[in-house]
Amino acid sequence: MTTLTQVPLASLLDRLFDEADATSPAAIPAVAELSSEERSRLMRSKTDYRAFYAHLKDLPLAVSRETGVLLYMLARGGRAQTIVEFGTSFGISTLHLAAALRDNGGGRLITTEFEPSKVKRARENLVAGGVADLVEIREGDALQTLAVDLPEHIDLLLLDGAKALYPEILHLLESRLRPGAYIVADNADYSPEYLAYVRAPANGYLSTPFGDDVELSMRSR
């Protein structure tokens, strides 16, 4: 048995995933009116992403159930003690990572979210899941909140915020990633610049697509 599969976290995650499955960006008029080309452009934009994600403030934008388990396994198997997450949303991925820290004997998870209403929901979910003591949520622009007061070494990095900012966030934290640290990038296809960087061996990573929506990378030096 693990924290992930026990009460209260297991039942909380079941409910949150069911709620996420029942929601869709297409239900939001401002989003439904966008063409697929315009939606893709906004997700790739380094300047217009805030307005786009503001329309999605009431949606969980959750990782898949499979990705959640992958996050737990990577953090648990790697005995992670320090984790950084870009993009908290309602905290579903955060719960998986915090569960791994709990089962590793403790640690620190820093996560960041610019939408205040999502910060509130995430904090409530972390309390309900019994892992709030392991998590620090930083509210605001990640390019600012992740620029200060970081652990000396980072064992795992999850990128699941505005896709266009993946390269900037990685470069911000890169010097802190220990050799062997994992980087999980959700929906990384929307950030070709990021993919080109981590897939170039000269930059010090091993990287491969994992499943339908994840790029899994490891710091090799």
Side-chain angles (χ1 to χ4, degrees), residues 190-211:
Y190 287 104
S191 184
E193 180 185 347
Y194 170 82
L195 290 178
Y197 185 82
V198 295
R199 289 177 179 176
N203 292 323
Y205 296 93
L206 294 174
S207 191
T208 186
F210 193 94

Side-chain angles (χ1 to χ4, degrees), residues 4-6 8-21 65 92 95-96:
L4 195 65
T5 58
Q6 292 178 326
L9 192 51
S11 56
L12 172 63
L13 284 171
D14 281 342
R15 176 174 63 80
L16 292 176
F17 275 124
D18 286 345
E19 291 174 356
D21 290 343
R65 296 172 193 262
I92 293 178
L95 289 165
H96 287 85

Side-chain angles (χ1 to χ4, degrees), residues 51 82 84 97 137 144 215 218:
T82 54
V84 175
L97 293 168
I137 302 180
Q144 298 175 3
E215 181 79 9
M218 185 186 75

